[in-house]
Amino acid sequence: MALSVDIHKDFGTFRLDVAFETERGQLTGLLGASGCGKSMTLRCIAGIETPDLGRITLDDRVLFDRERGINLPPQKRRVGYLFQNYALFPHMTVAQNIAVGVADKKTRAETVARLVRTLYLEGQEDKYPRQLSGGQQQRVALARILASAPEVLLLDEPFSALDSYLKWQVELELADLLTTFPGPVLFVTHSRDEVRRLCQRVCVLDQGTSQAVMPVNQLFEAPHTLSACLLSGCKNISRVRAAGDGQVEALDWGVVLNPGRPLPEHLTHLGVRAHYICPVDGPGPNRLPCRVERVVENVFSTVVMLSTPGGNQGFSRLRIELEKDAWPALAGRDPLWLELPAKDLLLLTAQ
């Protein structure tokens, strides 16, 4: 492990309670809704904010330890922090902005030249931030951070300041650059798609509290908590209660289901992704009759909203997604029977 964080901070109406560890050379995503404490976590690691309790270590260096009275200032933590708006100095050129990060004056010119080449900024050295594109500004900000030789990188929603048409290109460039960084990288985002494309591991934050770090594929294939499931994009969720013989009653859908495996302790909800639900001919195990409420034609698929025996409002509805050529043969069925395959049921706890 390279970075270990276990911190607590009470803001009165909000409490930050975060604990996780990273691996060297891996990009770990901090995923959560706005206001859940992602950016505050980065600020505590960087030394901009001071936790009330806890400990932060980077390899064998202690950055913060409340009990031992250790709280290194930001400039001694060797932490590179890329802010959402990049925080470039508007009155400085590209070269001057990068040079700010170089502590050794003797190597300043050489370091700036090397980073200009590495981050594809040749020809931009004498320009000011206002003369650069969003992607160029991000690369300058990253070059300034790398000039200080950080041991860990903190990226706070690095694409939020970019127009949508620039995000894809800049994301690819940043991903390529980060492959050469030897230390841990923390990537704050509220986008599950960015996590899927960029990160190896992810830590979900829910209302200030962190959940266990997991491989990214687990977030999408087998999330364990309701908040992680929702953040992964699953829209079919029902409250559940045990129904005996290993079965559960999906309260919002009005059906009893058999997950085909042991139920977790403190089970509260069940989920199933839209593309795993199967239209079938009639009744059977894990099947329920539904009625079509709305059909939405996407470019490459058809999304169908259906009422269930549990009702036609909120989570009582089911959402299925089909290939374009599959829907016409099903359109006239009333009811439309659906099967929720046992292997694809997501068994969820509140935390």
Coordinates of all heavy atoms in Angstrom, one line a residue, residues 217-299:
N217 N -14.8 -3.4 -11.6 CA -15.7 -4.4 -12.2 C -16.8 -4.8 -11.2 O -17.9 -5.2 -11.5 CB -15.0 -5.5 -12.9 CG -14.3 -6.4 -11.9 OD1 -13.8 -6.0 -10.9 ND2 -14.2 -7.7 -12.2
Q218 N -16.4 -4.9 -9.9 CA -17.3 -5.3 -8.9 C -18.4 -4.3 -8.7 O -19.6 -4.6 -8.5 CB -16.6 -5.5 -7.5 CG -17.6 -6.0 -6.4 CD -16.9 -6.2 -5.1 OE1 -15.7 -6.6 -5.0 NE2 -17.6 -5.9 -4.0
L219 N -18.1 -3.0 -8.8 CA -19.1 -2.0 -8.7 C -20.2 -2.2 -9.7 O -21.4 -2.0 -9.4 CB -18.5 -0.6 -8.9 CG -19.5 0.6 -9.0 CD1 -20.1 0.8 -7.6 CD2 -18.8 1.9 -9.4
F220 N -19.9 -2.6 -10.9 CA -20.9 -2.7 -11.9 C -21.5 -4.2 -12.0 O -22.6 -4.3 -12.4 CB -20.3 -2.4 -13.3 CG -19.9 -0.9 -13.4 CD1 -18.6 -0.5 -13.2 CD2 -20.8 0.0 -13.7 CE1 -18.2 0.8 -13.2 CE2 -20.5 1.4 -13.7 CZ -19.2 1.8 -13.5
E221 N -20.8 -5.2 -11.6 CA -21.3 -6.5 -11.7 C -21.9 -7.0 -10.4 O -22.8 -7.8 -10.4 CB -20.1 -7.4 -12.1 CG -19.6 -7.1 -13.5 CD -18.3 -8.0 -13.8 OE1 -18.0 -8.9 -13.0 OE2 -17.7 -7.7 -14.8
A222 N -21.4 -6.6 -9.2 CA -21.9 -7.1 -8.0 C -21.7 -6.1 -6.8 O -21.0 -6.4 -5.8 CB -21.2 -8.4 -7.6
P223 N -22.4 -5.0 -6.9 CA -22.3 -4.0 -5.8 C -23.0 -4.6 -4.6 O -24.0 -5.4 -4.7 CB -23.0 -2.8 -6.3 CG -23.9 -3.3 -7.4 CD -23.2 -4.5 -8.0
H224 N -22.5 -4.3 -3.4 CA -23.1 -4.9 -2.2 C -24.0 -3.9 -1.4 O -24.8 -4.4 -0.6 CB -22.0 -5.3 -1.2 CG -21.1 -6.4 -1.7 ND1 -19.8 -6.6 -1.3 CD2 -21.4 -7.4 -2.6 CE1 -19.3 -7.7 -1.9 NE2 -20.3 -8.1 -2.7
T225 N -24.0 -2.6 -1.7 CA -24.8 -1.7 -1.0 C -25.8 -1.0 -1.9 O -25.5 -0.9 -3.1 CB -23.9 -0.6 -0.2 OG1 -23.3 0.2 -1.2 CG2 -22.9 -1.3 0.7
L226 N -26.8 -0.4 -1.4 CA -27.8 0.3 -2.2 C -27.2 1.5 -2.8 O -27.4 1.8 -4.0 CB -29.0 0.7 -1.3 CG -30.0 1.6 -1.9 CD1 -30.7 0.9 -3.1 CD2 -31.1 2.1 -0.9
S227 N -26.4 2.3 -2.1 CA -25.8 3.5 -2.6 C -24.9 3.2 -3.8 O -24.8 3.9 -4.8 CB -25.1 4.3 -1.6 OG -24.2 3.6 -0.9
A228 N -24.0 2.1 -3.6 CA -23.1 1.8 -4.7 C -23.9 1.3 -5.9 O -23.5 1.6 -7.1 CB -22.2 0.7 -4.2
C229 N -25.0 0.6 -5.7 CA -25.8 0.1 -6.8 C -26.4 1.2 -7.6 O -26.3 1.3 -8.8 CB -26.9 -0.9 -6.3 SG -27.8 -1.7 -7.6
L230 N -26.9 2.2 -6.9 CA -27.5 3.4 -7.6 C -26.5 4.2 -8.3 O -26.7 4.6 -9.4 CB -28.2 4.2 -6.5 CG -29.5 3.7 -5.9 CD1 -30.0 4.5 -4.8 CD2 -30.6 3.5 -7.0
L231 N -25.3 4.4 -7.7 CA -24.2 5.1 -8.3 C -23.7 4.4 -9.6 O -23.2 5.0 -10.5 CB -23.1 5.4 -7.4 CG -23.4 6.5 -6.3 CD1 -22.3 6.4 -5.2 CD2 -23.4 7.8 -7.0
S232 N -23.8 3.1 -9.6 CA -23.4 2.3 -10.8 C -24.3 2.4 -11.9 O -24.0 1.9 -13.0 CB -23.2 0.8 -10.4 OG -24.4 0.2 -10.2
G233 N -25.5 3.0 -11.7 CA -26.4 3.2 -12.8 C -27.6 2.3 -12.8 O -28.5 2.4 -13.7
C234 N -27.7 1.4 -11.9 CA -28.9 0.5 -11.8 C -30.1 1.3 -11.5 O -30.2 2.0 -10.4 CB -28.6 -0.6 -10.8 SG -30.0 -1.9 -10.8
K235 N -31.2 1.1 -12.3 CA -32.4 1.9 -12.0 C -33.6 1.0 -11.6 O -34.7 1.5 -11.3 CB -32.8 2.6 -13.3 CG -31.8 3.7 -13.7 CD -32.2 4.4 -15.0 CE -31.2 5.5 -15.3 NZ -29.8 5.0 -15.5
N236 N -33.4 -0.3 -11.5 CA -34.5 -1.2 -11.1 C -34.1 -1.6 -9.6 O -33.3 -2.5 -9.4 CB -34.6 -2.4 -12.0 CG -35.1 -2.0 -13.4 OD1 -35.9 -1.2 -13.6 ND2 -34.4 -2.6 -14.4
I237 N -34.8 -1.0 -8.7 CA -34.5 -1.3 -7.3 C -35.8 -1.5 -6.5 O -36.8 -0.8 -6.8 CB -33.8 0.0 -6.6 CG1 -32.5 0.3 -7.3 CG2 -33.6 -0.3 -5.1 CD1 -31.4 -0.7 -7.1
S238 N -35.8 -2.5 -5.6 CA -37.0 -2.7 -4.8 C -36.6 -3.0 -3.4 O -35.6 -3.7 -3.1 CB -37.8 -3.9 -5.4 OG -38.9 -4.2 -4.5
R239 N -37.4 -2.6 -2.5 CA -37.3 -3.0 -1.1 C -37.7 -4.5 -1.0 O -38.5 -4.9 -1.7 CB -38.2 -2.2 -0.2 CG -37.9 -0.7 -0.1 CD -39.1 0.1 0.5 NE -40.3 -0.1 -0.3 CZ -41.5 -0.1 0.1 NH1 -41.7 0.0 1.4 NH2 -42.5 -0.2 -0.7
V240 N -37.1 -5.2 0.0 CA -37.3 -6.6 0.1 C -37.5 -7.0 1.6 O -37.1 -6.3 2.5 CB -36.2 -7.5 -0.5 CG1 -36.0 -7.2 -2.0 CG2 -34.9 -7.3 0.3
R241 N -38.2 -8.1 1.7 CA -38.2 -8.8 3.0 C -38.1 -10.3 2.8 O -38.6 -10.8 1.8 CB -39.4 -8.4 3.8 CG -40.8 -8.9 3.2 CD -41.9 -8.3 4.1 NE -43.2 -8.6 3.4 CZ -44.3 -8.0 3.7 NH1 -44.3 -7.0 4.6 NH2 -45.5 -8.3 3.1
A242 N -37.6 -11.0 3.8 CA -37.5 -12.5 3.7 C -38.8 -13.1 3.5 O -39.8 -12.7 4.3 CB -36.7 -13.0 4.8
A243 N -38.9 -14.1 2.7 CA -40.2 -14.8 2.4 C -40.1 -16.3 2.8 O -41.0 -17.1 2.4 CB -40.7 -14.6 1.0
G244 N -39.0 -16.7 3.4 CA -38.8 -18.1 3.7 C -38.3 -19.0 2.6 O -38.4 -18.6 1.4
D245 N -37.6 -20.1 3.0 CA -37.0 -21.0 2.0 C -36.0 -20.3 1.0 O -36.0 -20.6 -0.2 CB -38.1 -21.7 1.1 CG -39.0 -22.6 2.0 OD1 -38.5 -23.2 3.0 OD2 -40.2 -22.6 1.7
G246 N -35.3 -19.3 1.6 CA -34.3 -18.6 0.7 C -34.9 -17.6 -0.3 O -34.1 -17.1 -1.1
Q247 N -36.2 -17.4 -0.2 CA -36.8 -16.5 -1.1 C -37.0 -15.1 -0.5 O -36.9 -14.9 0.7 CB -38.2 -17.0 -1.6 CG -38.1 -18.3 -2.3 CD -39.5 -18.8 -2.8 OE1 -39.7 -18.8 -4.0 NE2 -40.3 -19.2 -1.9
V248 N -37.2 -14.1 -1.3 CA -37.4 -12.7 -0.9 C -38.7 -12.2 -1.6 O -38.9 -12.5 -2.7 CB -36.2 -11.8 -1.1 CG1 -35.0 -12.2 -0.3 CG2 -35.9 -11.7 -2.6
E249 N -39.4 -11.3 -0.9 CA -40.5 -10.6 -1.5 C -40.0 -9.2 -1.9 O -39.6 -8.4 -1.1 CB -41.7 -10.5 -0.5 CG -42.9 -9.8 -1.1 CD -44.0 -9.6 -0.1 OE1 -43.9 -10.1 1.0 OE2 -45.1 -9.0 -0.5
A250 N -40.1 -9.0 -3.2 CA -39.8 -7.6 -3.7 C -41.0 -6.7 -3.5 O -42.0 -6.8 -4.3 CB -39.4 -7.7 -5.2
L251 N -41.0 -5.9 -2.5 CA -42.2 -5.2 -2.0 C -42.7 -4.2 -3.1 O -43.9 -4.0 -3.2 CB -41.9 -4.5 -0.7 CG -41.5 -5.4 0.5 CD1 -41.1 -4.6 1.7 CD2 -42.6 -6.3 0.8
D252 N -41.7 -3.6 -3.8 CA -42.2 -2.6 -4.8 C -42.7 -3.2 -6.0 O -43.4 -2.5 -6.8 CB -41.0 -1.6 -5.1 CG -40.6 -0.8 -3.9 OD1 -41.4 0.1 -3.5 OD2 -39.5 -1.0 -3.3
W253 N -42.2 -4.4 -6.4 CA -42.7 -5.0 -7.6 C -43.8 -6.0 -7.4 O -44.4 -6.5 -8.4 CB -41.5 -5.8 -8.3 CG -40.3 -4.9 -8.5 CD1 -40.4 -3.5 -8.8 CD2 -38.9 -5.3 -8.6 NE1 -39.1 -3.0 -9.0 CE2 -38.2 -4.1 -8.9 CE3 -38.3 -6.5 -8.5 CZ2 -36.8 -4.1 -9.0 CZ3 -36.9 -6.5 -8.6 CH2 -36.2 -5.3 -8.9
G254 N -44.1 -6.4 -6.2 CA -45.2 -7.3 -5.9 C -45.0 -8.7 -6.3 O -45.9 -9.3 -6.9
V255 N -43.8 -9.2 -6.1 CA -43.5 -10.6 -6.6 C -42.5 -11.2 -5.6 O -41.7 -10.5 -5.0 CB -42.9 -10.5 -8.0 CG1 -41.5 -9.8 -8.0 CG2 -42.7 -11.9 -8.5
V256 N -42.6 -12.5 -5.4 CA -41.6 -13.3 -4.6 C -40.6 -13.9 -5.6 O -40.9 -14.5 -6.6 CB -42.3 -14.4 -3.8 CG1 -41.3 -15.3 -3.1 CG2 -43.3 -13.8 -2.8
L257 N -39.3 -13.7 -5.2 CA -38.2 -14.1 -6.1 C -37.2 -15.0 -5.3 O -37.1 -14.9 -4.1 CB -37.4 -12.9 -6.6 CG -38.2 -11.8 -7.3 CD1 -37.4 -10.6 -7.5 CD2 -38.6 -12.4 -8.7
N258 N -36.6 -15.9 -6.1 CA -35.6 -16.8 -5.5 C -34.2 -16.5 -6.1 O -34.0 -16.7 -7.2 CB -35.9 -18.3 -5.8 CG -35.0 -19.2 -5.1 OD1 -34.0 -18.8 -4.5 ND2 -35.4 -20.5 -5.0
P259 N -33.3 -15.8 -5.3 CA -32.0 -15.5 -5.8 C -31.1 -16.6 -6.0 O -30.1 -16.5 -6.7 CB -31.4 -14.6 -4.7 CG -32.6 -14.2 -3.8 CD -33.6 -15.3 -3.9
G260 N -31.5 -17.8 -5.5 CA -30.7 -19.0 -5.8 C -29.3 -19.1 -5.1 O -28.4 -19.8 -5.4
R261 N -29.2 -18.3 -4.0 CA -28.0 -18.3 -3.2 C -28.3 -17.7 -1.8 O -29.3 -17.1 -1.6 CB -26.9 -17.4 -3.9 CG -27.3 -16.0 -4.2 CD -26.2 -15.3 -5.1 NE -26.4 -13.9 -5.3 CZ -27.3 -13.4 -6.2 NH1 -28.0 -14.2 -7.0 NH2 -27.4 -12.1 -6.4
P262 N -27.4 -17.9 -0.9 CA -27.7 -17.4 0.5 C -27.9 -15.9 0.5 O -27.2 -15.2 -0.2 CB -26.4 -17.8 1.3 CG -25.8 -19.0 0.5 CD -26.1 -18.7 -0.9
L263 N -28.8 -15.5 1.4 CA -29.1 -14.1 1.5 C -28.1 -13.4 2.5 O -27.8 -14.0 3.5 CB -30.5 -13.9 2.0 CG -31.7 -14.5 1.2 CD1 -33.0 -14.3 1.8 CD2 -31.6 -14.0 -0.2
P264 N -27.6 -12.2 2.1 CA -26.7 -11.6 3.1 C -27.4 -11.1 4.3 O -28.7 -10.8 4.3 CB -26.2 -10.4 2.2 CG -27.3 -10.1 1.2 CD -27.8 -11.5 0.9
E265 N -26.7 -11.0 5.4 CA -27.3 -10.4 6.6 C -27.6 -9.0 6.4 O -27.0 -8.3 5.7 CB -26.3 -10.6 7.8 CG -26.8 -10.3 9.1 CD -25.8 -10.5 10.2 OE1 -24.6 -10.8 9.9 OE2 -26.2 -10.4 11.4
H266 N -28.7 -8.6 7.0 CA -29.2 -7.2 6.9 C -29.6 -6.8 5.4 O -29.5 -5.6 5.0 CB -28.2 -6.2 7.4 CG -27.7 -6.5 8.8 ND1 -28.5 -6.7 9.8 CD2 -26.4 -6.7 9.2 CE1 -27.8 -7.0 10.9 NE2 -26.5 -7.0 10.6
L267 N -30.1 -7.7 4.7 CA -30.6 -7.5 3.3 C -31.7 -6.5 3.4 O -32.7 -6.7 4.1 CB -31.0 -8.8 2.6 CG -31.6 -8.6 1.2 CD1 -30.5 -8.2 0.2 CD2 -32.3 -10.0 0.8
T268 N -31.7 -5.4 2.6 CA -32.8 -4.4 2.6 C -33.4 -4.2 1.2 O -34.5 -3.8 1.1 CB -32.3 -3.1 3.1 OG1 -31.2 -2.6 2.3 CG2 -31.8 -3.2 4.5
H269 N -32.6 -4.4 0.1 CA -33.0 -4.0 -1.2 C -32.5 -5.1 -2.2 O -31.6 -5.8 -1.9 CB -32.5 -2.7 -1.7 CG -33.2 -1.5 -0.9 ND1 -32.8 -1.1 0.3 CD2 -34.2 -0.7 -1.3 CE1 -33.5 -0.1 0.7 NE2 -34.4 0.2 -0.2
L270 N -33.2 -5.1 -3.4 CA -32.8 -5.9 -4.5 C -32.7 -5.1 -5.7 O -33.6 -4.2 -5.9 CB -33.8 -7.1 -4.6 CG -33.6 -8.1 -5.7 CD1 -34.0 -9.5 -5.1 CD2 -34.3 -7.8 -6.9
G271 N -31.8 -5.4 -6.6 CA -31.7 -4.7 -7.9 C -31.5 -5.6 -9.0 O -31.0 -6.7 -8.9
V272 N -31.8 -5.1 -10.2 CA -31.5 -5.9 -11.4 C -31.4 -4.9 -12.6 O -32.1 -3.9 -12.7 CB -32.6 -6.9 -11.8 CG1 -34.0 -6.2 -12.0 CG2 -32.3 -7.8 -13.0
R273 N -30.3 -5.1 -13.4 CA -30.0 -4.1 -14.5 C -31.0 -4.4 -15.6 O -31.4 -5.5 -15.9 CB -28.6 -4.3 -14.9 CG -27.6 -4.0 -13.8 CD -26.2 -3.7 -14.2 NE -25.3 -3.6 -13.1 CZ -25.2 -2.4 -12.4 NH1 -25.9 -1.4 -12.7 NH2 -24.4 -2.4 -11.4
A274 N -31.3 -3.3 -16.3 CA -32.3 -3.3 -17.4 C -32.0 -4.2 -18.5 O -32.9 -4.8 -19.1 CB -32.4 -1.8 -17.9
H275 N -30.7 -4.4 -18.8 CA -30.4 -5.3 -20.0 C -30.3 -6.8 -19.6 O -30.1 -7.6 -20.5 CB -29.1 -4.8 -20.6 CG -27.9 -4.7 -19.7 ND1 -27.8 -3.7 -18.8 CD2 -26.9 -5.5 -19.4 CE1 -26.7 -3.8 -18.1 NE2 -26.2 -5.0 -18.5
Y276 N -30.5 -7.1 -18.3 CA -30.5 -8.5 -18.0 C -32.0 -9.1 -17.8 O -32.1 -10.3 -17.7 CB -29.8 -8.7 -16.6 CG -28.3 -8.5 -16.7 CD1 -27.6 -8.0 -15.7 CD2 -27.6 -9.0 -17.8 CE1 -26.2 -7.8 -15.8 CE2 -26.2 -8.8 -17.9 CZ -25.5 -8.2 -16.9 OH -24.2 -8.1 -17.0
I277 N -33.0 -8.2 -17.8 CA -34.4 -8.7 -17.7 C -34.8 -9.3 -19.0 O -34.6 -8.7 -20.1 CB -35.3 -7.5 -17.3 CG1 -34.8 -7.0 -15.9 CG2 -36.7 -8.0 -17.2 CD1 -35.6 -5.7 -15.5
C278 N -35.5 -10.5 -18.9 CA -35.8 -11.2 -20.2 C -37.3 -11.3 -20.4 O -38.0 -11.8 -19.5 CB -35.3 -12.7 -20.0 SG -33.5 -12.8 -19.7
P279 N -37.8 -10.8 -21.5 CA -39.2 -11.1 -21.9 C -39.4 -12.6 -22.1 O -38.6 -13.3 -22.7 CB -39.4 -10.3 -23.2 CG -38.3 -9.3 -23.2 CD -37.2 -9.9 -22.5
V280 N -40.5 -13.1 -21.5 CA -40.8 -14.6 -21.6 C -42.3 -14.8 -22.0 O -43.1 -13.8 -22.1 CB -40.5 -15.3 -20.3 CG1 -39.0 -15.3 -20.1 CG2 -41.2 -14.6 -19.1
D281 N -42.7 -16.0 -22.3 CA -44.0 -16.3 -22.8 C -45.1 -16.3 -21.7 O -46.3 -16.1 -22.0 CB -44.0 -17.7 -23.5 CG -43.2 -17.6 -24.8 OD1 -43.1 -16.5 -25.4 OD2 -42.6 -18.7 -25.2
G282 N -44.7 -16.6 -20.5 CA -45.8 -16.7 -19.4 C -45.2 -17.0 -18.1 O -44.0 -16.8 -17.8
P283 N -46.1 -17.4 -17.1 CA -45.6 -17.5 -15.7 C -44.5 -18.5 -15.5 O -44.3 -19.4 -16.4 CB -46.9 -18.0 -15.0 CG -48.0 -17.6 -15.9 CD -47.5 -17.7 -17.3
G284 N -43.8 -18.4 -14.4 CA -42.8 -19.3 -14.0 C -42.0 -18.7 -12.9 O -42.3 -17.6 -12.4
P285 N -40.9 -19.4 -12.4 CA -40.1 -18.9 -11.3 C -39.4 -17.6 -11.7 O -39.0 -17.4 -12.8 CB -39.0 -20.0 -11.2 CG -39.6 -21.2 -11.8 CD -40.5 -20.8 -12.9
N286 N -39.5 -16.6 -10.7 CA -38.9 -15.3 -10.9 C -39.5 -14.5 -12.1 O -38.8 -13.7 -12.7 CB -37.3 -15.4 -11.1 CG -36.6 -15.8 -9.8 OD1 -37.3 -16.1 -8.8 ND2 -35.3 -15.7 -9.8
R287 N -40.8 -14.8 -12.3 CA -41.4 -14.1 -13.4 C -42.6 -13.2 -12.9 O -43.2 -13.6 -11.8 CB -41.9 -15.0 -14.5 CG -40.8 -15.8 -15.2 CD -41.3 -16.7 -16.2 NE -40.3 -17.5 -16.9 CZ -40.4 -18.3 -17.9 NH1 -41.7 -18.5 -18.4 NH2 -39.4 -18.9 -18.5
L288 N -42.9 -12.2 -13.6 CA -44.0 -11.3 -13.2 C -44.7 -10.7 -14.4 O -44.0 -10.4 -15.4 CB -43.6 -10.3 -12.2 CG -42.7 -9.1 -12.7 CD1 -42.7 -8.0 -11.6 CD2 -41.3 -9.6 -12.9
P289 N -46.0 -10.5 -14.3 CA -46.7 -9.8 -15.5 C -46.6 -8.3 -15.3 O -46.8 -7.7 -14.3 CB -48.2 -10.3 -15.3 CG -48.3 -10.5 -13.8 CD -46.9 -10.9 -13.3
C290 N -46.3 -7.7 -16.5 CA -46.2 -6.2 -16.5 C -47.0 -5.6 -17.6 O -47.3 -6.3 -18.6 CB -44.7 -5.8 -16.6 SG -43.6 -6.5 -15.3
R291 N -47.2 -4.3 -17.5 CA -47.9 -3.6 -18.6 C -47.0 -2.4 -19.0 O -46.4 -1.7 -18.2 CB -49.3 -3.1 -18.1 CG -50.3 -4.2 -18.1 CD -51.7 -3.8 -17.8 NE -52.6 -4.8 -18.1 CZ -52.9 -5.9 -17.3 NH1 -52.3 -6.0 -16.2 NH2 -53.8 -6.8 -17.7
V292 N -47.0 -2.2 -20.3 CA -46.1 -1.2 -20.9 C -46.7 0.2 -20.6 O -47.9 0.5 -20.8 CB -46.0 -1.4 -22.4 CG1 -45.2 -0.2 -23.0 CG2 -45.4 -2.7 -22.7
E293 N -45.9 1.1 -20.1 CA -46.3 2.4 -19.8 C -45.7 3.4 -20.8 O -46.3 4.4 -21.1 CB -45.8 2.8 -18.3 CG -46.4 2.0 -17.2 CD -47.9 2.3 -17.0 OE1 -48.3 3.4 -17.4 OE2 -48.6 1.5 -16.4
R294 N -44.5 3.1 -21.2 CA -43.8 4.1 -22.1 C -42.7 3.4 -22.8 O -42.0 2.5 -22.3 CB -43.2 5.3 -21.3 CG -42.6 6.4 -22.2 CD -42.2 7.5 -21.3 NE -41.6 8.6 -22.1 CZ -41.1 9.7 -21.6 NH1 -41.1 9.9 -20.3 NH2 -40.6 10.7 -22.4
V295 N -42.5 3.8 -24.1 CA -41.4 3.2 -24.9 C -40.6 4.4 -25.4 O -41.1 5.3 -26.0 CB -42.0 2.4 -26.1 CG1 -40.8 1.9 -27.0 CG2 -42.9 1.3 -25.7
V296 N -39.2 4.2 -25.2 CA -38.3 5.3 -25.6 C -37.3 4.7 -26.6 O -36.6 3.7 -26.3 CB -37.5 5.8 -24.4 CG1 -36.5 6.9 -24.9 CG2 -38.5 6.4 -23.4
E297 N -37.3 5.2 -27.8 CA -36.4 4.7 -28.8 C -35.0 5.4 -28.8 O -35.0 6.6 -29.1 CB -37.0 4.9 -30.2 CG -38.3 4.1 -30.5 CD -38.0 2.6 -30.6 OE1 -36.8 2.2 -30.8 OE2 -39.0 1.8 -30.6
N298 N -34.0 4.7 -28.4 CA -32.6 5.3 -28.4 C -32.0 5.0 -29.8 O -32.6 4.3 -30.6 CB -31.8 4.7 -27.3 CG -32.2 5.2 -25.9 OD1 -32.7 6.3 -25.8 ND2 -32.0 4.4 -24.9
V299 N -30.8 5.4 -30.0 CA -30.2 5.2 -31.3 C -30.0 3.8 -31.6 O -30.2 3.3 -32.7 CB -28.8 6.0 -31.4 CG1 -28.1 5.7 -32.7 CG2 -29.1 7.5 -31.2

